[in-house]
Amino acid sequence: MVHFETAPARRRGRGGRIGARLSRLRWYAGRLRAMSAAEVLHRLEEARRKRAWRRRPVGWGDGGERAQAPLPDFPGLRRRLALAADLPAVRESLARTREGRLRFLGRDWPPAAFADPRESAGFWLHDPVTGGRWPGREVSSFLVDVRSTSHQPGPEGTLGDVKYVWEPSRLQVLHPLAAAVAAGEDGALDAGLRLVRAWMDANPPYGGVHWVSGIELAMRLVSVLFLAAAAGPEGVAPDDRARLRAFVGAHAHHLAAFPSLHSSANNHRVAEGLGLLVAGLLMPEAGSGWEAEGRAILEAEALRQILPDGVGAEQSPTYHGFTVEMLALAALLAREAGRPLSGALHERLERGAAFLLALMDETGRVPAIGDDDEGRVLGQPPDREPRYAASVAAAVAGLSGRRDLLPPVRDPHLRDAVFAVPEGAALPPEGLTVFRAGGYTAIRERIAGRRVHAVFDHGPLGYLTLAAHGHADALALWLALDGQPVLIDAGTFLYHSGQGRRTALRESLAHNTLAVSGASQSVAAAGFSWTSRAQASLLAEAPGPDWSVTGVHDGYLRRFGVRHERRLARSPAGLALADRLDGASPLLPVEIRFLLPPDLALSRQDGGVVVSDASGALCRIRPPSGFGTTLVRGEDAVHSTAFGHLAPAQRIVFFGMLGADEAVTEFAILS
């Protein structure tokens, strides 16, 4: 029997309803601030269409005139899936699925008997954190509120973050099952089809929580494609072929009818393009132009969401990895169908992978910059993939045939087989790499015998008017020494139910940057929008042995009349971080903050803070002249190590008065 955690019920009754309304109002206010007049008109028309769709009967179609005909063939994907069947992580995922030990985002689900739809229906609507039950077929998906869940009572208990209930319904347990099907394992196809039938019986279109978000629909289409590809054109019985076509058609119609446009046209739009491409490949007889529409979306969005220098426009390495993975899978499927996507898309994919490599330390990990909801296109639950970015870069290396895009370290994954990733590893060359369009500088070199990897942010807050997944981390610094993270990011924690903690982890006081008078550069509104937004840019760069890079942002201009400039430079002993406030008169109180992992030891020595690991002292961080020092632990210094999880951290705070003259923080790297 699998045990799952149940959190205490949150506020209910009249107070809970008032809280839910206030949360919704804050969300709508944040969205309205980000909307243009054209978007307001689009939203009004979208609302009209949603009202019309609410009158549709809840149920599946018949799959079309050729519903029982053989499915399209995907021989290349089938061969590569078969190669994945013997991977240890795939075997572990298969074993857990067959035994009913299902775990997603670090939470256990109760066992489900997928052969009996009545028993399995509750599985798909179960909230593993609160024990509540999300709305199902009895409620139109257009009436399901997924945003104000920290106050929202469900049919059977208070609801938590919608990410948890959505994760199993991406059906990514089908990916390891598809590998077993392709390898000819007895019972694997029947198990996969039972799971699809159970999901369809419990979640007919267009009712309940699982028809709210297009990105969820797209990920389900990918999962069904994997199962169909593994089985082959006639491997699935005629009745089940008809059922799969009904599944695909309902999902594709919804994706086509409710596109994510304007301020919502971020990674969700890429997912919708992938979903429509997959639907068109699975049902070419539909004649609806799904493949063509999907291709057009993907080719346009690749050039928007991967900037010319390879940086992800969302300003989050893991969201960038997710976008790159979606585009890479689309490119692979289109190529195998004989209709490859554009060369421009492939070029952006390769640049996007190169950017991930630049952010990566020698252990294959990237800083937790911006949001991370652990979304994956190819999955093998319950793997949370701490080296996800490395695996995605390797996938692009396999797709493109470029071994120089291989990461230094990666964890074996089903993704390796699907993209035919070659053996080997690579590490970007030492030196300074400036990403001018995206706003990052990566430094990789040896100092005092140690391998130093640093990332400096001088780019925008996020993508489009919402900047939904960016954090207020302008001019922040991340640092690793010999693969040991030293300056880290606070991470994400939760989305819709994170409330005050989500706000705190998004704003500047949680990041390795400077704060004026305890204020954040950019001020968060709702969970995915901002009341004010700092604009950051690159001021100057100087390559060579005595390199330096200077950025500036205006987040404090309106409130304090100053711009924050920060220069990161090579110094004789290591690194120097010079801060100044352009326009400050008189001087202003500031804090220079650094977040460090809990396993490092901090001690005050020689007017600074010495940072040590188990092997000894790593570096000494010395504050600017005249600044005081505070070491913070406990509730005021935490970080999110995974979605939904908070862990202790520690913070160094240097405090003092600052004006137009530089205040220099010195990082001496110790041998």
Side-chain angles (χ1 to χ4, degrees):
M1 179 67 68
V2 174
H3 299 283
F4 54 93
E5 297 179 50
T6 303
R10 296 182 177 93
R11 285 190 299 156
R12 304 187 187 189
R14 185 169 179 268
R17 287 192 294 273
I18 293 172
R21 292 192 191 103
L22 289 174
S23 182
R24 281 194 292 272
L25 286 173
R26 283 193 294 269
W27 186 88
Y28 283 117
R31 290 305 299 266
L32 281 171
R33 277 193 294 268
M35 287 185 189
S36 64
E39 180 169 4
V40 172
L41 292 175
H42 164 71
R43 297 298 176 187
L44 291 172
E45 169 57 21
E46 183 181 60
R48 184 197 66 77
R49 277 184 283 116
K50 287 181 177 179
R51 286 193 297 271
W53 275 56
R54 280 163 50 188
R55 294 191 290 271
R56 292 186 172 208
V58 174
W60 297 97
D62 58 11
E65 294 181 4
R66 299 184 65 248
Q68 295 189 334
L71 295 168
D73 196 11
F74 302 89
L77 181 56
R78 182 163 59 254
R79 285 194 301 271
R80 289 192 295 277
L81 281 170
L83 295 174
D86 290 329
L87 291 173
V90 172
R91 303 310 305 175
E92 166 66 12
S93 186
L94 277 168
R96 295 181 67 97
T97 300
R98 286 167 169 158
E99 296 165 11
R101 296 182 296 118
L102 298 177
R103 185 172 176 84
F104 306 91
L105 294 178
R107 300 283 180 166
D108 292 319
W109 263 250
F114 293 120
D116 186 340
R118 291 170 299 179
E119 289 188 24
S120 68
F123 174 90
W124 305 109
L125 303 175
H126 172 68
D127 189 315
V129 178
T130 67
R133 181 184 181 276
W134 279 81
R137 61 191 300 162
E138 71 280 358
V139 178
S140 168
S141 63
F142 303 115
L143 297 177
V144 178
D145 177 15
V146 301
R147 302 182 187 99
S148 53
T149 52
S150 60
H151 298 285
Q152 180 176 303
E156 299 173 11
T158 303
L159 300 177
D161 203 292
V162 73
K163 280 291 302 176
Y164 287 106
V165 74
W166 275 344
E167 194 69 18
S169 281
R170 291 188 172 188
L171 302 183
Q172 291 181 339
V173 295
L174 290 178
H175 299 180
L177 275 170
V181 171
E185 294 188 23
D186 291 340
L189 180 58
D190 286 343
L193 291 172
R194 277 198 307 272
L195 193 144
V196 174
R197 286 194 293 266
W199 191 90
M200 293 178 70
D201 289 341
N203 300 283
Y206 295 98
V209 67
H210 294 307
W211 294 94
V212 173
S213 171
I215 200 168
E216 305 306 315
L217 276 66
M219 294 303 102
R220 284 197 290 276
L221 284 170
V222 170
S223 297
V224 164
L225 172 91
F226 272 49
L227 187 65
E234 299 188 69
V236 177
D239 285 349
D240 278 316
R241 291 179 213 154
R243 188 172 285 109
L244 291 181
R245 283 190 167 92
F247 180 102
V248 172
H251 281 69
H253 282 301
H254 190 287
L255 289 175
F258 298 102
S260 298
L261 301 178
H262 299 286
S263 62
S264 298
N266 52 11
N267 60 86
H268 287 247
R269 191 64 178 141
V270 178
E272 291 160 4
L274 174 61
L276 288 168
L277 173 72
V278 166
L281 293 174
L282 282 168
M283 290 183 66
E285 71 278 1
S288 60
W290 291 332
E291 180 185 345
E293 184 177 355
R295 292 170 63 91
I297 293 168
L298 292 163
E299 293 189 346
E301 293 303 320
L303 303 187
R304 294 186 182 114
Q305 299 199 36
I306 303 178
L307 301 177
D309 57 4
V311 176
E314 296 257 38
Q315 298 293 308
S316 157
T318 47
Y319 264 90
H320 177 54
F322 186 55
T323 296
V324 167
E325 188 183 8
M326 287 190 284
L327 293 168
L329 179 60
L332 178 69
L333 295 173
R335 185 173 70 190
E336 294 196 352
R339 299 178 292 279
L341 294 172
S342 70
L345 180 144
H346 283 81
E347 182 185 28
R348 287 295 168 92
L349 274 177
E350 293 172 24
R351 292 185 181 182
F355 170 64
L356 288 176
L357 292 177
L359 289 194
M360 203 171 294
D361 66 23
E362 62 190 65
T363 70
R365 299 170 189 258
V366 298
I369 301 169
D371 276 347
D372 177 9
D373 69 351
E374 299 186 44
R376 311 289 186 253
V377 185
L378 279 68
Q380 51 191 34
D383 185 10
R384 303 193 80 169
E385 287 198 87
R387 293 185 178 90
Y388 172 61
S391 184
V392 170
V396 177
L399 178 72
S400 63
R402 285 186 52 183
R403 298 181 67 89
D404 61 309
L405 294 178
L406 289 170
V409 181
R410 71 178 190 276
D411 300 312
H413 196 277
L414 179 146
R415 195 178 292 113
D416 297 340
V418 169
F419 286 97
V421 177
E423 294 295 325
L427 192 67
E430 293 186 355
L432 193 75
T433 306
V434 182
F435 297 90
R436 297 172 185 85
Y440 291 92
T441 293
I443 301 102
R444 196 184 304 274
E445 65 175 303
R446 285 184 176 270
I447 303 176
R450 294 195 182 275
R451 296 178 297 277
V452 176
H453 178 246
V455 176
F456 181 50
D457 180 357
H458 43 76
L461 175 64
Y463 184 48
L464 301 175
T465 55
L466 276 181
H469 296 300
H471 289 188
D473 53 12
L475 308 188
L477 175 68
W478 297 268
L479 177 66
L481 300 176
D482 293 335
Q484 165 66 58
V486 175
L487 302 185
I488 62 173
D489 198 280
T492 300
F493 184 43
L494 289 169
Y495 277 174
H496 302 286
S497 62
Q499 291 210 309
R501 181 67 76 177
R502 170 153 175 78
T503 297
L505 293 181
R506 296 174 79 207
E507 292 191 334
S508 301
L509 297 182
H511 294 91
N512 303 322
T513 188
L514 176 146
V516 176
S517 293
S520 180
Q521 315 154 346
S522 299
V523 179
F528 295 94
S529 60
W530 301 87
T531 300
S532 69
R533 297 175 51 170
Q535 302 295 324
S537 60
L538 177 66
L539 269 186
E541 58 180 291
D546 297 321
W547 56 263
S548 68
V549 59
T550 306
V552 62
H553 76 80
D554 65 358
Y556 297 120
L557 182 60
R558 184 172 180 180
R559 286 168 288 174
F560 302 104
V562 297
R563 288 182 170 85
H564 174 209
E565 288 186 17
R566 172 170 274 188
R567 178 172 55 87
L568 177 65
R570 181 71 161 88
S571 70
L575 306 175
L577 198 60
D579 291 295
R580 63 183 295 269
L581 297 179
D582 184 21
S585 179
L587 305 182
L588 291 171
V590 301
E591 292 181 341
I592 301 170
R593 293 173 156 239
F594 302 110
L595 190 68
L596 294 90
D599 56 339
L600 297 181
L602 306 184
S603 61
R604 297 174 185 257
Q605 295 181 30
D606 301 327
V609 179
V610 172
V611 181
S612 306
D613 66 2
S615 67
L618 297 172
C619 65
R620 179 186 297 107
I621 308 176
R622 194 185 301 275
S625 176
F627 275 55
T629 301
T630 301
L631 303 182
V632 181
R633 295 180 177 86
E635 192 64 21
D636 292 328
V638 296
H639 72 305
S640 176
T641 56
F643 190 83
H645 182 69
L646 280 178
Q650 46 193 342
R651 177 174 286 116
I652 300 172
V653 181
F654 297 143
F655 58 91
M657 304 297 290
L658 184 63
D661 293 332
E662 286 189 340
V664 180
T665 302
E666 298 177 350
F667 290 77
I669 310 301
L670 304 177
S671 58

